[in-house]
Amino acid sequence: MMNIVLLEPEMPANTGNIGRTCVATGTRLHLIEPLGFKVNDKTVKRAGLDYWDDLDVTIYDDFKDFLEKNPQCAGKLYMFTTKSRQCYCDVTYPKDAWLMFGKESAGIPEEILVDYEDYCVRIPMIGQIRSLNLSNSVAIALYEALRQNGFDQLNPKGDLHRLHWKSEN
């Protein structure tokens, strides 16, 4: 199972959208405090629609607490940052990868990144753009990791029913 880790997320709508993506993909969500909102905030729930109750989510006091409670993430914790020299699609993600993203206003602090330099990855952008929206970044990264693993346990195909219609001449 994939894991999304949000370090100090600030915007409830982003976290709600990410929660919905996690439910749709069978991914666990890990939230590291301080949060810029209360988890029961109506904005979080509205963005997550009626999926929030189905979300597998754990909240941690800080990054140290997260690491202590998840020793299994060692060697599988990928940190998404604009400061990395490595592209996110050049990494081979295990089926139980941990994809970590920092808060919207500042990303993951450098004092954390330096200890994980080999696991830092970047989503390419043009010019000096600061960053993408957090929920978009999570979706890009998660679906690449899922794609690499054959979309394990996801429905890869839909069922389009052809509509019959007459063309008017």
Side-chain angles (χ1 to χ4, degrees), residues 88-134:
Y88 79 101
C89 55
D90 292 336
V91 170
T92 301
Y93 300 97
K95 286 185 178 199
D96 58 344
W98 298 69
L99 311 178
M100 183 170 159
F101 301 82
K103 62 183 167 183
E104 290 90 339
S105 65
I108 300 171
E110 284 196 35
E111 57 266 17
I112 293 175
L113 295 174
V114 296
D115 291 335
Y116 293 87
E117 189 172 353
D118 292 341
Y119 293 90
C120 288
V121 293
R122 173 184 172 86
I123 298 172
M125 293 173 280
I126 196 167
Q128 295 300 314
I129 300 297
R130 279 194 332 253
S131 66
L132 296 171
N133 172 275
L134 180 60

Side-chain angles (χ1 to χ4, degrees), residues 2-61:
M2 294 284 174
N3 296 273
I4 296 298
V5 181
L6 302 181
L7 178 66
E8 302 176 7
E10 299 166 316
M11 298 181 180
N14 280 335
T15 301
N17 287 329
I18 292 164
R20 183 176 178 182
T21 299
C22 287
V23 171
T25 58
T27 300
R28 289 186 183 115
L29 180 61
H30 305 265
L31 302 176
I32 301 174
E33 292 186 320
L35 309 179
F37 52 88
K38 297 203 181 314
V39 175
N40 62 356
D41 186 307
K42 66 180 178 181
T43 310
V44 174
K45 299 227 176 184
R46 183 171 45 241
L49 294 176
D50 55 346
Y51 299 105
W52 193 258
D53 292 336
D54 297 324
L55 179 62
D56 183 353
V57 61
T58 305
I59 301 173
Y60 305 90
D61 293 333

